[in-house]
């Protein structure tokens, strides 16, 4: 399971996505203080960037494979 404050690149894509879902759920509950909300937002943004990067990498790999055939 993904640990809080673990760096996104230390996680697999699925773990990073699961952690992002946890952060969103926590924020949607609206029971976080301002400082914790900002910390969660910051971690979430790092996870979004990481997941986007991984998806782009996979898309490029698929495009290379389909062009060769």
């Amino acid at each position: 399971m993904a640990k809080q404050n673990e760096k996104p690149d230390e996680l697999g894509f699925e773990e990073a996505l699961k952690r992002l879902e946890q952060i969103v759920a926590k924020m949607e509950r609206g029971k976080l203080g301002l400082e914790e909300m900002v910390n969660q937002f910051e971690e979430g943004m790092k996870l979004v960037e990481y997941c986007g990067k991984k998806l782009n990498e996979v898309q490029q790999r698929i495009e290379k494979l389909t062009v060769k055939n």
Side-chain angles (χ1 to χ4, degrees), residues 13-64:
F13 176 81
E14 290 80 6
E15 287 181 312
L17 190 58
K18 183 175 180 130
R19 177 67 187 136
L20 184 57
E21 290 171 347
Q22 292 170 345
I23 289 170
V24 169
K26 227 188 250 190
M27 292 177 76
E28 285 178 340
R29 281 187 229 123
K31 296 187 179 188
L32 298 174
L34 180 61
E35 189 65 32
E36 183 64 17
M37 181 71 77
V38 171
N39 290 339
Q40 294 292 299
F41 182 79
E42 183 176 32
E43 183 181 355
M45 291 305 297
K46 289 176 185 175
L47 289 164
V48 166
E49 182 180 352
Y50 170 78
C51 288
K53 179 181 169 189
K54 286 297 179 188
L55 288 172
N56 285 334
E57 289 172 3
V58 169
Q59 181 180 6
Q60 289 174 0
R61 286 176 60 196
I62 290 170
E63 287 174 1
K64 285 180 184 178

